[in-house]
Amino acid sequence: MSTIPGQVRLSWQDPVTGEQRTPLLTCPIAFGREFARMPAELNNQRVARIVLNSSQVSRYHTLIEWVQGHIRITDQNSSNGTWVNGVLQSSCNVSNGDLLKIGPYEITLMFTLDGTGLPTAEASEQSIIQVPEPDSPVPAEPVAAPANVLPPAFQAHQVVVQDLYATRLSVEEIDYLAVGAGLGSFIWVDFLRIFGAAPQQIRALGIEDRPYARYQRLCLNSQIPPHERLRSNSDSCPDNIWGWPGYALREAWQEFNKGKLNPALQYLWQVFAEPTFAQTYTPRAGNVFASIDREAIRIGWPQIYRFGRVRAIRQTNDGRYAIAYSPGRKQTAFVIARHVHLATGYPVLQFLPDLKAYREQTRDFKSVVNAYEDHNHVYETLERQGGTVVLRGRGIVASRIIQRIHEARHRNPNISILHLMRSPKPKGNRFRKAQRPVDNHFEFQPFNWPKACWGGTLREELEQATPDQRTNLLADWGGTTTADRQDWKVIVQQGLDQGWYQITFGEVTRVVPNTQSRPTTYIQEKGPRGEIKLEADFIIDATGLDSKVKASPLLNDLVTHYNLPLNPAGRLAVANDFELLEMRNQNGRMYGAGAITFGGPYAAVDSFLGLQYTALRAVDGLVTARAPNLRRLNGIGSFWQWLRWAQNQTP
Amino acid sequence: MTPTLLGRWQTRILLMETVGLVITLLFGGGFLGNPEGSVYFWLLQYIIVFGLGWDYLYIQIQNFRWDQDWPAALQWLAAIWEAIFIVLLVEVLGIELPLIPASDWQLGWFIVHYGFVWVGVFIASQSLMRLMFPRWRFRGGQWL
């Protein structure tokens, strides 16, 4: 495709959602925080106006123009300035591949002065793949399907309960229904049980009986075996709603009982001094799963869980909700519930568009992999015959993969990593008086959000903000970060010094097989070097998970059928207590939790502690709505329930 | 800990006036072999009132921290500073605080009393508060 002069391909990663944005625009192009503050026309030319959400971005920040055969950038007296290749600029000409930094946004500019040969790759919204699932007797539906597999009764706005009984299919009536049966569901059910609901009042529908099954699979795929540590806090305990004793205290106690005083004291020191004077404590994956197993038995989860792939959700005409699900191949059954909780998790994996295209063209699913897929063959092959890995993404998963390859190098030293990053990272995000630390182009933060997002000043601020302000705050606090782990820093520094680990910056233009069918990455470097190519045996995409509701057939059907609003991040819009207000049905309440609600009143929705916060707000909401058998838990009653937890007695 | 200002105030007042008060009453009765009297009670009130001001300062410092958090280690440093401040007022500047006659002030017993109160309050804030108030940790230390 040829392009006209003055056309620029912009490319950046959205700091809120992590999505890749690559629009092709014609100059003049304006950037700012408020659409209306940017000019609609300049010199009789229509202006392409790009809204960048962040408090670090001015209302009208920067303009890109085509002036006498050059692309020129002019800062519009912005408060935080326009940076080109790391240098503050008020006005300057730019070259192909230059990096424009506006607040937390890092935008690569690609263009040719005569308008030919511009890279045409455009990230499509479809650049996703399914989250790996276990072998299941009931397959997932394609996105468009539900309508034709559903009974006619489900075409109505509100389902008539008698119509469901008339189908002669199985119908069950229940007070509380959790859709998903993963960690989000489990934590909500844990609160329900402790607040007074009985196991026979609750049903959880999902496709795996252990609530952490999917989470654990993603951990294993991304190279976190049971003895490795999760990126989670000591007192983020999915098995304990109070967060006490935390995992650090429990692990210290275990070690102490084995007669090992040193590690015990080290864990206690970590939780005492983290993150300022000690490395943040994080629990071992295996310990977390074992604790969930114990709590699952205590609250009667085996009695509550049912296998079933949920197909559709409707309101009923008597103030409840009807759920159609498949308990087996070509079977349909219904649950009618007073209150419903949706926690279906991440529907899809984000996959870099150029890598997805490579796989589709070559049908080679072994050389180019996503970090969340099972890709052990990569390490096995590397350990056997050595090789080069191109790593994309610089988050926590990338760090863990570097550690895994470092381990593989003990068996075979002929392994090297080319870490491909879009841009250098000399400085971390700023938010008011604070700045995030950076080392070797990795940005550090103990968890995936600043800590105060869970229960401090930042949580309060986000909840009180308007939807637009929320997007700004999330952009300021967001971005890709990794944990400040001493072992990881040492490995990276060693790798850089010894040369087996290298960092390359640039914008990928295409990934194609070379003559030996190895994936070759072409990248656009800024400056005169132009295009360079990286050959590798494997490419690992460690850029992340995606949770757009449109990617889930179930949620897409719900949103379409009831015309539900989405928040600015494209996820379900929820109230501050996580109720889907538009789904309220007389006394019936529906709540959301987890990744599907990201972009709303709470940042850390997809964390253990975030799920507990969400569940607490939702169950408090149900108490206010006088839901059956629930009473508000506080004071002595709460302490009493904790004593029952401590003695492993049913709530 | 990721406290808010309101959370700091509420937690300080609650724990000082319950856990701290019980320990103070033991001191007031002279149960540790110390001279008995009301001075411990009034010292506790001074610690609380000055603390409300210190909490405002701590929140300002917290804003410079990217995570806007307040680790237990900083809680301890802050507690030590608060004790030093009172000692400075009385011992160095020689200020006689109302209701605390100079004759009743004894530096040694102040340190013992303050130490017991603070450790009691700290342990309660790390355990009992969470168990009795499940929303406390999500609301920056607000229990009301």
Side-chain angles (χ1 to χ4, degrees):
Chain A
M1 189 182 90
S2 72
T3 45
I4 52 171
Q7 268 196 326
V8 182
R9 169 83 66 201
L10 306 173
S11 170
W12 74 92
Q13 191 182 23
D14 188 284
V16 178
T17 62
E19 279 164 52
Q20 203 72 27
R21 304 281 308 276
T22 54
L24 178 67
L25 300 169
T26 307
C27 291
I29 307 165
F31 298 90
R33 201 176 71 227
E34 281 181 20
F35 188 81
R37 290 294 189 102
M38 294 182 267
E41 276 196 1
L42 274 176
N43 307 325
N44 294 326
Q45 284 178 301
R46 203 176 61 86
V47 177
R49 289 178 279 182
I50 305 285
V51 176
L52 302 177
N53 292 301
S54 163
S55 59
Q56 306 286 309
V57 177
S58 296
R59 291 180 176 85
Y60 174 27
H61 198 112
T62 302
L63 180 70
I64 302 184
E65 289 170 294
W66 172 250
V67 185
Q68 293 161 358
H70 291 283
I71 302 277
R72 185 163 191 80
I73 290 187
T74 310
D75 184 79
Q76 304 296 317
N77 284 326
S78 66
S79 320
N80 292 300
T82 300
W83 301 72
V84 179
N85 299 330
V87 181
L88 188 62
Q89 298 282 8
S90 56
S91 185
C92 69
N93 289 342
V94 291
S95 359
N96 184 25
D98 277 355
L99 183 74
L100 175 65
K101 187 171 179 331
I102 301 174
Y105 290 81
E106 289 173 354
I107 304 168
T108 309
L109 307 171
M110 280 178 290
F111 57 89
T112 50
L113 292 181
D114 59 0
T116 57
L118 194 62
T120 53
E122 181 155 21
S124 83
E125 271 199 45
Q126 299 304 318
S127 191
I128 48 176
I129 53 174
Q130 290 301 311
V131 167
E133 279 193 3
D135 294 329
S136 155
V138 188
E141 288 294 334
V143 177
N148 37 25
V149 294
L150 289 177
F154 267 60
Q155 307 293 348
H157 187 73
Q158 290 195 325
V159 171
V160 180
V161 173
Q162 289 82 342
D163 290 352
L164 296 184
Y165 281 102
T167 61
R168 307 205 149 204
L169 298 167
S170 153
V171 181
E172 183 185 22
E173 299 193 30
I174 199 108
D175 288 325
Y176 304 102
L177 176 73
V179 175
L183 283 171
S185 297
F186 174 77
I187 288 169
W188 182 67
V189 169
D190 199 27
F191 273 91
L192 285 179
R193 291 283 290 115
I194 293 168
F195 277 55
Q200 56 271 21
Q201 290 179 281
I202 313 170
R203 182 70 62 234
L205 287 176
I207 58 167
E208 290 183 87
D209 57 356
R210 286 162 310 132
Y212 54 79
R214 184 196 232 190
Y215 179 87
Q216 186 181 34
R217 198 165 44 253
L218 292 172
C219 281
L220 290 172
N221 287 349
S222 61
Q223 303 304 307
I224 307 178
H227 67 270
E228 268 296 330
R229 294 178 184 278
L230 302 172
R231 192 191 203 181
S232 181
N233 207 357
S234 167
D235 55 6
S236 307
C237 313
D239 70 311
N240 175 313
I241 66 164
W242 302 271
W244 200 87
Y247 288 120
L249 194 54
R250 299 187 214 177
E251 198 177 348
W253 184 244
Q254 278 174 12
E255 296 290 345
F256 182 74
N257 280 335
K258 285 189 238 160
K260 294 180 184 165
L261 198 59
N262 270 347
L265 290 175
Q266 186 210 316
Y267 301 142
L268 294 179
W269 165 250
Q270 277 183 282
V271 279
F272 180 76
E274 69 186 21
T276 309
F277 308 108
Q279 180 176 311
T280 296
Y281 171 87
T282 52
R284 289 183 203 277
N287 285 350
V288 172
F289 299 140
S291 74
I292 296 174
D293 281 334
R294 172 192 183 267
E295 181 71 352
I297 299 296
R298 187 179 86 90
I299 64 168
W301 180 259
Q303 205 182 329
I304 291 165
Y305 167 78
R306 286 285 181 287
F307 177 87
R309 198 179 279 283
V310 176
R311 301 297 190 192
I313 301 168
R314 295 287 182 267
Q315 295 178 342
T316 64
N317 62 337
D318 64 355
R320 292 184 289 173
Y321 303 93
I323 285 81
Y325 70 99
S326 304
R329 187 175 276 277
K330 306 225 161 132
Q331 293 176 332
T332 299
F334 302 105
V335 182
I336 298 168
R338 278 179 208 284
H339 306 292
V340 173
H341 185 257
L342 302 177
T344 50
Y346 287 97
V348 289
L349 302 177
Q350 219 158 252
F351 210 4
L352 289 165
D354 47 78
L355 299 183
K356 189 163 187 253
Y358 180 89
R359 297 221 305 198
E360 280 164 2
Q361 278 158 23
T362 60
R363 311 308 295 166
D364 172 6
F365 290 83
K366 292 282 177 193
S367 318
V368 172
V369 294
N370 187 293
Y372 285 107
E373 295 175 300
D374 181 1
H375 65 284
N376 269 318
H377 66 272
V378 171
Y379 308 103
E380 285 158 10
T381 313
L382 289 173
E383 286 172 4
R384 231 179 15 251
Q385 58 198 47
T388 305
V389 177
V390 165
L391 182 60
R392 308 267 298 264
R394 57 175 136 197
I396 190 93
V397 177
S399 295
R400 176 57 201 150
I401 285 171
I402 295 169
Q403 185 196 359
R404 177 68 185 82
I405 292 177
H406 174 252
E407 285 161 26
R409 289 190 83 258
H410 293 316
R411 299 202 184 86
N412 188 336
N414 296 318
I415 306 173
S416 56
I417 305 173
L418 287 173
H419 200 163
L420 183 49
M421 300 182 181
R422 294 187 58 243
S423 54
K425 190 79 166 165
K427 279 184 290 194
N429 268 22
R430 279 203 74 82
F431 180 66
R432 295 188 194 134
K433 296 168 190 159
Q435 185 161 30
R436 201 152 55 188
V438 165
D439 185 32
N440 277 329
H441 306 285
F442 285 95
E443 205 168 352
F444 293 112
Q445 191 169 267
F447 306 108
N448 59 339
W449 293 96
K451 257 178 154 175
C453 287
W454 274 267
T457 45
L458 302 181
R459 181 202 71 77
E460 211 172 69
E461 184 168 352
L462 189 67
E463 184 177 276
Q464 287 161 2
T466 65
D468 276 352
Q469 290 169 335
R470 282 177 180 174
T471 313
N472 289 344
L473 292 171
L474 291 172
D476 290 345
W477 306 336
T480 308
T481 61
T482 192
D484 189 0
R485 269 175 60 163
Q486 200 52 42
D487 54 341
W488 289 351
K489 279 178 157 173
V490 168
I491 290 171
V492 165
Q493 197 55 54
Q494 255 179 23
L496 287 169
D497 294 343
Q498 296 167 0
W500 57 266
Y501 171 77
Q502 287 172 33
I503 302 175
T504 306
F505 302 104
E507 191 71 33
V508 172
T509 51
R510 64 194 191 279
V511 181
V512 288
N514 69 3
T515 47
Q516 292 109 43
S517 302
R518 293 164 75 208
T520 306
T521 308
Y522 288 85
I523 60 174
Q524 178 68 52
E525 268 210 337
K526 67 182 175 66
R529 279 180 69 188
E531 199 172 57
I532 60 171
K533 78 178 181 185
L534 303 175
E535 288 185 334
D537 299 284
F538 298 101
I539 301 181
I540 303 177
D541 176 356
T543 50
L545 297 158
D546 189 25
S547 59
K548 280 242 174 83
V549 296
K550 296 261 157 82
S552 153
L554 173 68
L555 297 181
N556 189 41
D557 168 71
L558 185 70
V559 166
T560 314
H561 196 82
Y562 289 100
N563 199 16
L564 300 183
L566 299 180
N567 67 31
R571 276 66 167 173
L572 293 175
V574 291
N576 288 349
D577 66 352
F578 290 82
E579 188 185 351
L580 278 73
L581 291 174
E582 291 74 14
M583 285 304 291
R584 189 178 280 198
N585 192 10
Q586 299 170 39
N587 285 326
R589 300 271 191 282
M590 184 181 284
Y591 293 89
I596 58 173
T597 62
F598 174 69
Y602 196 74
V605 283
D606 65 342
S607 63
F608 294 158
L609 191 59
L611 287 170
Q612 288 191 319
Y613 169 77
T614 315
L616 178 57
R617 292 296 302 258
V619 173
D620 275 345
L622 285 171
V623 171
T624 311
R626 296 174 184 277
N629 288 38
L630 297 184
R631 57 196 146 58
R632 191 178 148 83
L633 190 81
N634 211 23
I636 301 296
S638 171
F639 185 61
W640 175 249
Q641 278 297 332
W642 179 80
L643 286 176
R644 299 194 67 83
W645 176 88
Q647 295 168 70
N648 204 13
Q649 293 168 333
T650 54
Chain B
M1 289 283 291
T2 50
T4 59
L5 182 58
L6 208 55
R8 282 179 180 274
W9 284 345
Q10 287 189 9
T11 300
R12 180 183 288 268
I13 293 170
L14 178 74
L15 286 178
M16 286 283 182
E17 295 291 19
T18 52
V19 178
L21 188 66
V22 169
I23 295 169
T24 298
L25 291 179
L26 293 177
F27 275 87
F31 288 104
L32 273 88
N34 56 304
E36 57 189 69
S38 62
V39 64
Y40 302 102
F41 175 80
W42 293 116
L43 273 171
L44 180 71
Q45 306 311 315
Y46 275 111
I47 294 166
I48 296 171
V49 171
F50 288 140
L52 298 181
W54 293 124
D55 282 339
Y56 182 79
L57 175 74
Y58 302 151
I59 280 288
Q60 301 306 317
I61 297 173
Q62 218 172 278
N63 285 336
F64 285 93
R65 298 172 58 79
W66 174 260
D67 278 298
Q68 302 215 358
D69 62 337
W70 199 251
L74 288 188
Q75 271 176 274
W76 277 73
L77 291 179
I80 292 168
W81 159 247
E82 288 175 35
I84 292 174
F85 176 74
I86 290 182
V87 172
L88 280 178
L89 283 188
V90 179
E91 294 275 334
V92 180
L93 299 177
I95 294 170
E96 192 172 315
L97 296 168
L99 299 165
I100 308 207
S103 55
D104 287 357
W105 165 269
Q106 290 187 22
L107 178 61
W109 283 113
F110 167 75
I111 291 171
V112 175
H113 170 238
Y114 185 87
F116 270 86
V117 166
W118 162 249
V119 171
V121 165
F122 177 75
I123 291 172
S125 78
Q126 293 290 319
S127 54
L128 205 59
M129 277 309 273
R130 293 158 181 262
L131 306 184
M132 306 234 343
F133 302 102
R135 294 159 197 83
W136 177 78
R137 61 178 175 150
F138 297 114
R139 307 184 62 219
Q142 292 181 49
W143 53 275
L144 275 175

